[in-house]
Amino acid sequence: EAALRFDGVDKYFDNGTTALTGLDLSIAPGEFVAAVGPSGCGKSTLLRLASGLDSATGGTVHAPADSVGYVFQDPTLLPWRTVLANVELPAELAGTPKAERRARALDALRLVGLDGFEKQLPGQLSGGMRMRVSLARALMTQPSLFLFDEPFGALDEMTRLRMQEELQRIFADAGFAALFITHSVTEAVFLAGRVVVMSARPGRITASFDVPFPHP
Ligand code: ADP
Ligand code: ADP
């Protein structure tokens, strides 16, 4: 059973735009796939369909029945809540008892390298650190699939490189399935075990390759 499967998926919008056409994509459990392509090739549409935020016009999308972890470029943290309280939020909404959600949040913060920052407010943190908080929050839902929408696109070059290494480390250990959208071929090849290349007008996958030298 795939973590995510698209079979011949088309997406048209009411204004006549064809965002995606005939898209086939299957992601196995634990597999990290990156999708690269120019603006307008349908990358965000692909993620919206995978997350259930939008539905296909044609073909079928088999997405996880349980939750997906969605990580955006803009981390959308609640500014009045501490780092710890932001990370706890999904479990709080799910009614998880306080002691358990606190323990899981502390684990997630340790995993992303933010132990010691639990009591800080998001406004006191750098962009890279806010992204780590967002990643820890997504880890709380223990999703079978992670969706990344150009999460590092707004970071400066040094922070981006550091975040790519962190993410690579976290995913190498945890074995989550992921679909990672990016403009950067370098980033895609660094992070993913397989890269799909998309092109625009209409959006579709034009190439797919395994990365030959996976990280140790
Ligand atoms: P990318 O993320 O690769 O930049 P998008 O998925 O955002 O691409 O968009 C794919 C195509 O669909 C583009 O031509 C875009 O203009 C169009 N599009 C996206 N969302 C809508 C919408 N809600 N209504 C009409 N056209 C849209
Ligand atoms: P990144 O964004 O990649 O986590 P930064 O370049 O923003 O890293 O910060 C480098 C280091 O400086 C961090 O790992 C952290 O130890 C420290 N730091 C950054 N912001 C703060 C802060 N608000 N309070 C305390 N230490 C900080």
Side-chain angles (χ1 to χ4, degrees):
E1 181 83 346
L4 177 68
R5 205 171 84 231
F6 280 57
D7 289 325
V9 168
D10 303 319
K11 179 63 181 178
Y12 311 108
F13 289 105
D14 289 342
N15 68 357
T17 308
T18 302
L20 293 174
T21 184
L23 196 126
D24 296 316
L25 177 66
S26 180
I27 301 181
E31 192 183 16
F32 198 118
V33 174
V36 292
S39 291
C41 72
K43 300 186 296 298
S44 304
T45 303
L46 175 66
L47 280 196
R48 291 174 60 78
L49 296 181
S51 68
L53 285 173
D54 203 350
S55 52
T57 333
T60 49
V61 175
H62 303 268
D66 58 344
S67 66
V68 298
Y70 212 140
V71 182
F72 304 90
Q73 190 172 102
D74 171 12
T76 61
L77 303 173
L78 298 178
W80 59 89
R81 293 195 125 203
T82 64
V83 163
L84 183 62
N86 265 284
V87 174
E88 278 186 46
L89 190 60
E92 197 176 318
L93 296 174
T96 308
K98 191 177 172 93
E100 185 191 333
R101 70 175 192 249
R102 174 130 314 176
R104 273 171 44 198
L106 290 171
D107 280 348
L109 283 168
R110 206 170 305 122
L111 192 59
V112 301
L114 277 186
D115 30 345
F117 292 92
E118 295 83 1
K119 296 208 169 91
Q120 301 244 20
L121 293 170
Q124 299 174 279
L125 302 178
S126 67
M129 294 172 90
R130 283 200 297 276
M131 183 54 65
R132 289 166 200 253
V133 177
S134 160
L135 185 56
R137 183 180 56 188
L139 287 162
M140 283 295 280
T141 60
Q142 299 173 315
S144 51
L145 175 69
F146 271 84
L147 302 172
F148 293 98
D149 194 355
E150 301 208 40
F152 308 147
L155 301 176
D156 65 83
E157 181 75 11
M158 283 309 296
T159 304
R160 180 162 58 240
L161 292 175
R162 222 177 303 134
M163 289 302 298
Q164 288 170 357
E165 282 172 4
E166 284 288 317
L167 193 68
Q168 201 273 319
R169 175 184 63 77
I170 290 165
F171 273 72
D173 293 345
F176 299 112
L179 176 58
F180 189 104
I181 299 298
T182 176
H183 275 105
S184 163
V185 176
T186 313
E187 181 168 84
V189 169
F190 180 78
L191 288 170
R194 180 157 53 101
V195 177
V196 299
V197 180
M198 297 177 68
S199 60
R201 275 179 266 285
R204 62 197 195 286
I205 292 175
T206 48
S208 172
F209 59 92
D210 293 331
V211 178
F213 304 110
H215 292 276

